[in-house]
Amino acid sequence: MMMTSHTYTLIGDIKVFFTDSGPPPASTDYTTLIVLHGSAFTGHGFERLHDYAHRYNLRTVIWNRRDYYGSTKYTDAEIDDLNNGKKVFLDRLAIQVADFLKQYIEKESVPKISADRKTGGFAIMGWSMGTATAMPLFSDPALISPELYALLEQYVKDLILDGA
């Protein structure tokens, strides 16, 4: 399978590098699996998932989280917030993931969640420390605008935590 590489620029000039399997041919109801890797390696360790995605009616999108190849490094102030357990660090992650999803919906024509919630939309998977990037989106609806929340409600259907 031919995967493609992309970089989106998010709010605050944050860059996120990712690979994408592309949509399954002739499918209008595929689910897009967003994979957030752990701390020991980059998203490259998950790229073999792209080879299997289409046979399961999936589109796979594998991030390189911040501080990893192709994505923006954390600033000293952000690292300080993380080390001091400040909620603002997680709030920023939620806003960045929400912005990524919004841009991806707009650029890639992602199918909405089906009426039975079995197909379409996004499944967001965090593996190991990637769970810390996946979960904040679900923590505080007030972090994003009501309009963005209403948009994401039509697309975000699953949170998968693996090795948390």
Side-chain angles (χ1 to χ4, degrees):
M1 170 180 303
M2 179 80 165
M3 72 174 179
T4 57
S5 299
H6 308 269
T7 302
Y8 280 7
T9 302
L10 309 178
I11 293 169
D13 202 33
I14 302 300
K15 301 212 180 335
V16 173
F17 173 85
F18 64 97
T19 58
D20 187 342
S21 68
S27 176
T28 59
D29 69 348
Y30 62 87
T31 296
T32 301
L33 176 66
I34 308 285
V35 179
L36 304 164
H37 65 83
S39 61
F41 52 89
T42 67
H44 177 71
F46 286 97
E47 286 178 359
R48 294 225 26 197
L49 290 176
H50 292 318
D51 296 335
Y52 301 97
H54 291 175
R55 76 176 74 163
Y56 295 104
N57 201 32
L58 292 173
R59 180 176 195 165
T60 46
V61 172
I62 302 173
W63 271 38
N64 270 2
R65 295 184 309 116
R66 300 250 334 252
D67 249 19
Y68 291 87
Y69 172 81
S71 295
T72 300
K73 292 196 171 297
Y74 288 113
T75 65
D76 290 342
E78 289 171 320
I79 294 295
D80 188 55
D81 290 341
L82 172 64
N83 289 337
N84 288 301
K86 293 185 177 176
K87 182 179 179 292
V88 68
F89 182 85
L90 296 175
D91 292 349
R92 278 198 245 23
L93 289 177
I95 292 164
Q96 291 162 9
V97 171
D99 187 37
F100 176 87
L101 295 174
K102 177 182 181 281
Q103 288 188 43
Y104 196 84
I105 291 164
E106 292 170 350
K107 293 175 184 179
E108 299 297 331
S109 302
V110 175
K112 291 180 181 178
I113 300 168
S114 63
D116 65 3
R117 301 191 63 80
K118 291 185 179 181
T119 60
F122 292 108
I124 301 171
M125 183 185 97
W127 184 80
S128 188
M129 274 305 292
T131 61
T133 302
M135 289 190 294
L137 177 66
F138 300 88
S139 69
D140 185 354
L143 293 172
I144 60 176
S145 71
E147 296 79 18
L148 181 53
Y149 186 89
L151 174 71
L152 295 180
E153 253 186 333
Q154 300 172 62
Y155 291 93
V156 178
K157 66 176 184 151
D158 296 306
L159 173 62
I160 303 162
L161 305 176
D162 188 12

